């Protein structure tokens, strides 16, 4: 029998409204009546499958010196092999419990697995364990020790018992609850101590890491949150690290979605440790959880606003392939183009839930046309429905983009991104021949009108003159006047990069992205 391990957290106890409770209870009553009315085959025993309110115990015998049960390895089935104990008779019982002999315990036995056969109890557990990984499989094949899903959702199970109105269903829940309460007594007490004292041992770490829990971490001293997807618990004598697989909200240039992030580990430590001193830990245990929550939401709102393409200002540390660099430059935020030129840094995302963000106290972001760029079809960047507060908290704290001064791709931290302070009179202050100035201005305005009508490509203007006469100033003033990105191209940028398999000039790449971003 396959078994799955899991863990518990009371903070995820179910909060179901009275109306929802009535609906769930009424639904279960209807399903129960359907079970009663279902046709019974002639071979069936007196009680319908799983409806006998008793526990059937099965015993596996003692383990060998290596902790394993004896098994047959011959290809031929042994003649003295006992018949399976699961049959029509055992199928009547609400619960089928397998024990192994364990002389280290007071009662000399320990539960190996629990097979839930009661259809009434299964309906309740599907609600209690909703969204828990692999739960559908365990409901069919059985829960294995140490029963982590049931420990993690213990409070929900207790609430379901207290809230159940149907007496027969309540009796089945009570049978399951009482048996588990005795079996998990030490584990539940350990969990209660963790919650009350905010300290934990390495052995009991899994108790606070329930799948779906929001995990807190800091990267370069900046807060960031993830949703725990899976935790690998050390099981062997030489394993001394918990491995966490998490996911977070990311934008791939087209849509928001869940992106997987691994590499989080909690190595062995002796004694006890305060939870907030762990390398990563559940956000609920942060000593200043309210302040951090507000900061995560604020970062998430800014991340959401920066979806699409934007021309911004940046001053601070940015990351290039994981390495920190100081950047003081105007930048282009554009995840789609970033991935196009850095395909090895692409993150696959799965769609977010389609549920509306009804828990938000702000409206979907609207962008000024001067801050977002038209795509090749002249359409504005397409944005998803507004993110929920939880999704905002789980957004990345950096965006993908390009530094116009450094001519390099970076990850930019959202809190360092600012609006550009444009110089409104830059073009008016240019001193040059008025006829030439009007000619340039008219050509630029005509080009911009044609671009909006999709009737114009690029515009080439050649400025000639001695060094220092103002050619660069004219171009910079035009960029200020148009609020457009400006590429400064030097002679060195014309060289071919011989490490590039396509032998493509960096200048050619600049021309391509300048077309995408309508840059000068």
């Amino acid at each position: 029998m396959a078994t799955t391990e899991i863990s518990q957290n009371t903070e995820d106890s179910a909060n179901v409204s009275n109306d929802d409770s009535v609906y769930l209870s009424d639904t279960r009553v209807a399903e129960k009546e359907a079970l009663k009315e279902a046709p019974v085959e002639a071979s069936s025993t007196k009680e319908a499958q799983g409806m006998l309110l008793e526990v059937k115990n099965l015993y596996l015998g003692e383990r060998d010196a290596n902790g394993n049960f004896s098994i047959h390895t011959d290809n031929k089935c042994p003649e003295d092999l006992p018949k399976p104990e699961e049959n029509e008779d055992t199928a009547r019982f609400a619960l089928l419990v397998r024990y192994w002999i364990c002389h280290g315990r007071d009662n000399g036995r320990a539960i190996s697995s629990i097979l839930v056969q009661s259809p009434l109890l299964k309906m309740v557990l599907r609600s209690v364990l909703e969204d828990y990984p692999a739960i559908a499989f365990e409901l069919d094949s059985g829960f294995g020790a140490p029963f982590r899903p049931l420990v993690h959702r213990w409070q929900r199970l207790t609430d379901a018992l207290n809230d159940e109105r149907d007496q027969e269903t309540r009796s089945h829940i009570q049978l399951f609850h009482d048996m588990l309460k005795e079996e998990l007594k030490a584990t539940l007490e350990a969990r209660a101590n963790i919650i009350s004292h905010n300290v934990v041992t390495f052995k009991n770490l899994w108790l606070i890491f329930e799948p779906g829990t929001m995990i807190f971490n800091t990267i370069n001293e900046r807060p960031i949150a993830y949703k725990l997807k899976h935790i690998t618990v050390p099981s062997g004598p030489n394993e001394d690290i918990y491995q966490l697989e998490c996911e977070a909200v990311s934008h791939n240039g087209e849509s928001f979605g869940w992106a997987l992030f691994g590499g989080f580990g909690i190595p062995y430590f002796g004694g006890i440790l305060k939870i907030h001193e762990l390398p990563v830990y559940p956000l609920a245990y942060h000593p200043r959880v309210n302040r951090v929550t507000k900061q995560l939401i604020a970062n998430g709102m800014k991340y959401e606003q920066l979806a699409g393409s934007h021309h911004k200002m940046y001053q601070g540390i940015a990351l290039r392939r994981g390495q920190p660099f100081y950047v003081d430059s105007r930048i282009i935020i554009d995840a789609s183009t970033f991935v196009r030129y850095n395909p090895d840094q692409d993150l696959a995302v799965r769609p977010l839930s389609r549920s509306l963000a009804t828990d938000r106290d702000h409206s979907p972001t609207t962008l000024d046309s001067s801050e977002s760029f038209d795509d090749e079809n002249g359409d504005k960047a397409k944005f998803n429905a507004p993110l929920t507060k939880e999704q905002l908290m789980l957004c990345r704290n950096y965006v993908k983009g390009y530094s116009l001064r450094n001519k390099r791709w970076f990850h930019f931290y959202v809190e360092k991104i600012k609006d550009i302070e444009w110089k409104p009179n830059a073009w008016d202050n240019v001193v040059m021949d008025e006829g030439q100035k009007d000619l340039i201005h008219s050509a630029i305005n005509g080009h911009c009108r044609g671009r909006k009508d999709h009737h114009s490509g690029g515009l080439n203007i050649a400025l000639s003159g001695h060094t220092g006469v103002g050619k660069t100033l004219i171009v910079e003033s035009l960029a200020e006047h148009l609020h457009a990105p400006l590429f400064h191209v030097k002679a060195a940028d014309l060289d071919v990069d011989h490490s590039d398999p396509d032998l493509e000039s960096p200048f050619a790449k600049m021309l391509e992205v300048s077309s995408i971003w309508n840059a000068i």
Side-chain angles (χ1 to χ4, degrees), residues 319-336:
L319 298 178
R320 176 169 170 79
R321 298 189 176 276
Q323 299 300 315
F325 288 87
Y326 183 79
V327 174
D328 184 2
S329 169
R330 292 182 181 180
I331 63 173
I332 303 294
I333 299 168
D334 186 350
S336 180

Side-chain angles (χ1 to χ4, degrees), residues 309 334 337 340-341 373-376 511-519:
S309 297
D334 186 350
T337 307
R340 178 177 176 180
Y341 288 94
F373 304 109
D374 297 342
D375 63 19
E376 61 183 3
L511 289 177
E512 187 173 12
V513 295
S514 67
S515 176
I516 294 172
W517 298 327
N518 296 315

Side-chain angles (χ1 to χ4, degrees), residues 302-513:
K302 194 165 186 179
Y303 183 88
E304 182 184 29
Q305 293 168 3
L306 293 172
S309 297
H310 304 272
H311 188 194
K312 296 290 183 178
M313 183 67 197
Y314 192 88
Q315 189 175 39
I317 297 297
L319 298 178
R320 176 169 170 79
R321 298 189 176 276
Q323 299 300 315
F325 288 87
Y326 183 79
V327 174
D328 184 2
S329 169
R330 292 182 181 180
I331 63 173
I332 303 294
I333 299 168
D334 186 350
S336 180
T337 307
F338 179 100
V339 170
R340 178 177 176 180
Y341 288 94
N342 302 273
D344 60 316
Q345 298 187 59
D346 188 16
L347 281 178
V349 299
R350 64 178 180 86
L352 297 177
S353 170
R354 294 292 183 180
S355 59
L356 296 177
T358 55
D359 63 340
R360 288 182 59 165
D361 53 7
H362 66 283
S363 301
T365 302
T366 56
L367 297 174
D368 184 85
S369 59
S370 63
E371 294 185 354
S372 68
F373 304 109
D374 297 342
D375 63 19
E376 61 183 3
N377 297 317
D379 297 323
K380 295 296 179 184
K382 298 176 178 63
F383 296 93
N384 302 105
L387 301 177
T388 66
K389 284 185 178 179
E390 180 185 75
Q391 290 167 350
L392 289 173
M393 294 174 66
L394 292 168
C395 284
R396 304 297 73 226
N397 60 1
Y398 55 79
V399 293
K400 303 176 178 72
Y402 186 86
S403 169
L404 293 169
R405 177 174 294 174
N406 302 84
K407 302 184 182 70
R408 293 291 185 271
W409 298 96
F410 290 95
H411 288 99
F412 299 105
Y413 290 110
V414 295
E415 81 273 12
K416 294 292 184 180
I417 298 172
K418 309 294 182 185
D419 290 332
I420 296 173
E421 296 182 2
W422 300 101
K423 301 172 183 176
N425 300 318
W427 179 250
D428 295 336
N429 294 333
V430 172
V431 178
M432 62 180 298
D433 180 82
E434 288 298 327
Q436 294 179 340
K437 186 175 180 180
D438 290 341
L439 179 62
I440 294 174
H441 189 264
S442 298
I444 293 294
N445 286 339
H447 169 68
C448 292
R449 286 194 299 269
R451 183 163 57 87
K452 289 182 180 180
D453 296 333
H454 314 301
H455 296 148
S456 175
L459 175 65
N460 297 317
I461 299 177
L463 301 177
S464 64
H466 297 293
T467 302
V469 299
K471 299 185 297 297
T472 300
L473 177 62
I474 291 172
V475 176
E476 291 175 342
S477 299
L478 279 172
E480 290 291 320
H481 176 66
L482 298 172
H483 292 188
L486 175 62
F487 276 92
H488 284 273
V489 182
K490 300 178 181 179
D493 297 325
L494 303 177
D495 292 337
V496 172
D497 183 1
H498 292 282
S499 64
D500 191 325
D502 297 327
L503 296 180
E504 184 179 7
S505 167
F507 179 60
K509 294 180 180 179
M510 290 182 197
L511 289 177
E512 187 173 12
V513 295

Side-chain angles (χ1 to χ4, degrees), residues 54-347:
E54 293 182 21
V55 177
K56 178 64 177 177
N57 297 329
L58 304 176
Y59 294 87
L60 299 174
E62 292 198 41
R63 292 174 178 263
D64 60 23
N66 297 320
N68 301 315
F69 298 108
S70 59
I71 59 173
H72 293 276
T73 58
D74 297 334
N75 291 330
K76 183 179 180 181
C77 181
E79 295 180 358
D80 60 345
L81 187 67
K83 295 181 179 180
E85 293 180 319
E86 295 92 335
N87 49 43
E88 288 185 352
D89 180 60
T90 60
R92 299 176 300 134
F93 293 87
L95 298 172
L96 197 63
V97 181
R98 291 179 174 83
Y99 288 89
W100 64 58
I101 303 302
C102 181
H103 294 298
R105 299 184 61 157
D106 294 339
N107 59 6
R109 66 181 187 179
I111 295 179
S112 170
S113 65
I114 302 173
L115 179 62
V116 177
Q117 300 188 131
S118 164
L120 301 178
L121 183 55
K122 281 187 176 183
M123 283 187 278
V124 174
L125 289 178
R126 285 192 182 96
S127 175
V128 169
L129 300 171
E130 184 179 7
D131 297 330
Y132 203 99
I135 265 315
F137 172 77
E138 294 203 51
L139 279 173
D140 291 333
S141 63
F143 296 96
F147 311 106
R148 292 194 177 99
L150 300 170
V151 175
H152 281 151
R153 299 290 175 89
W154 181 255
Q155 187 59 49
R156 288 193 185 184
L157 179 62
T158 302
D159 291 342
L161 172 62
N162 295 332
D163 296 340
E164 183 57 55
R165 297 184 304 175
D166 179 74
Q167 189 57 46
E168 188 173 16
T169 301
R170 182 183 176 87
S171 299
H172 283 240
I173 304 174
Q174 189 75 60
L175 180 71
F176 186 60
H177 187 275
D178 291 348
M179 181 191 61
L180 276 177
K181 187 175 182 179
E182 178 63 27
E183 180 67 19
L184 302 176
K185 181 179 180 181
T187 302
L188 295 175
E189 288 177 351
R191 178 187 169 280
N193 287 332
I194 290 173
I195 294 173
S196 60
H197 297 98
N198 283 350
V199 295
V200 67
T201 63
F202 183 80
K203 177 183 177 182
N204 289 331
L205 269 178
W206 66 270
L207 289 171
I208 63 173
F209 285 100
E210 176 185 347
T213 299
M214 194 172 296
I215 304 301
F216 177 80
N217 191 18
T218 56
I219 298 179
N220 294 326
E221 302 181 353
R222 290 173 171 84
I224 193 167
Y226 301 87
K227 184 166 71 173
L228 180 62
K229 186 174 179 65
H230 176 74
I231 181 170
T232 301
V233 179
S235 57
N238 297 322
E239 297 181 9
D240 57 359
I241 187 170
Y242 284 82
Q243 295 286 353
L244 280 65
E245 182 182 78
C246 302
E247 57 185 2
V249 176
S250 184
H251 193 272
N252 63 2
E254 296 181 358
S255 61
F256 290 98
W258 293 110
L260 286 177
F261 294 87
F264 300 103
I266 303 178
Y268 176 82
F269 59 87
I272 62 175
L273 196 66
K274 292 181 178 179
I275 293 176
H276 68 267
E277 293 178 352
L278 294 168
V280 292
Y281 57 91
L283 176 64
Y285 292 95
H286 195 287
R288 290 178 291 276
V289 62
N290 291 334
R291 188 181 74 176
V292 172
T293 297
K294 291 179 181 179
Q295 186 175 357
L296 290 171
I297 291 175
N299 282 347
M301 291 173 65
K302 194 165 186 179
Y303 183 88
E304 182 184 29
Q305 293 168 3
L306 293 172
S309 297
H310 304 272
H311 188 194
K312 296 290 183 178
M313 183 67 197
Y314 192 88
Q315 189 175 39
I317 297 297
L319 298 178
R320 176 169 170 79
R321 298 189 176 276
Q323 299 300 315
F325 288 87
Y326 183 79
V327 174
D328 184 2
S329 169
R330 292 182 181 180
I331 63 173
I332 303 294
I333 299 168
D334 186 350
S336 180
T337 307
F338 179 100
V339 170
R340 178 177 176 180
Y341 288 94
N342 302 273
D344 60 316
Q345 298 187 59
D346 188 16
L347 281 178

